Amino acid sequence: MRQSSYCRMAAINRRPAPAAARPTRPPLQPMRSLADLAQRGVVTALFGLSVYGLYVAYDVHTLILKRGQEVITRREAVGLPTDGKKKKLEYEIAQQAQLATPTPIPPTASSESG
């Protein structure tokens, strides 16, 4: 059905209801129980603990990276290898030592009685 222009205009120009007809605020909720307050406290504390754990994990991670960088800097200052070449260097030194002594050294009497 088609509405008349009067009905459409009345719907558009509808005025707000008087104050007495407006809905009132909902009634206040009853007091929360002790169990509800305890549960809310536990949940809030656990959430706070989780956030603190994330902060500490990040802080420890950055501290470890900082100390590692300090170790690399100290090793570079002394002249030691810093990129994992230590094992290779030790192997090369051991190999050179083996080549320098072509025959095994026999044990001496003093080292056997020792």
Side-chain angles (χ1 to χ4, degrees):
M1 291 175 82
R2 194 167 175 191
Q3 290 183 344
S4 67
S5 63
Y6 174 76
C7 289
R8 278 186 268 146
M9 292 304 291
I12 293 172
N13 293 328
R14 188 174 295 158
R15 293 186 177 144
R22 290 185 191 150
T24 59
R25 291 183 181 168
L28 295 176
Q29 295 182 358
M31 186 178 231
R32 289 186 168 85
S33 68
L34 183 62
D36 183 45
L37 291 175
Q39 189 253 349
R40 288 172 184 253
V42 167
V43 168
T44 303
L46 290 176
F47 177 75
L49 192 62
S50 298
V51 171
Y52 178 70
L54 290 173
Y55 165 73
V56 169
Y58 173 77
D59 197 37
V60 168
H61 174 71
T62 54
L63 180 67
I64 289 171
L65 290 178
K66 182 180 171 185
R67 286 189 179 171
Q69 190 63 39
E70 290 172 0
V71 168
I72 289 174
T73 305
R74 275 188 264 137
R75 288 181 66 91
E76 286 175 347
V78 175
L80 295 174
T82 58
D83 56 352
K85 295 181 181 176
K86 182 178 180 182
K87 294 274 185 199
K88 185 178 179 183
L89 182 64
E90 288 175 358
Y91 179 76
E92 289 174 1
I93 291 172
Q95 200 172 28
Q96 289 172 1
Q98 289 292 331
L99 293 174
T101 57
T103 57
I105 301 172
T108 60
S110 61
S111 65
E112 290 178 2
S113 62

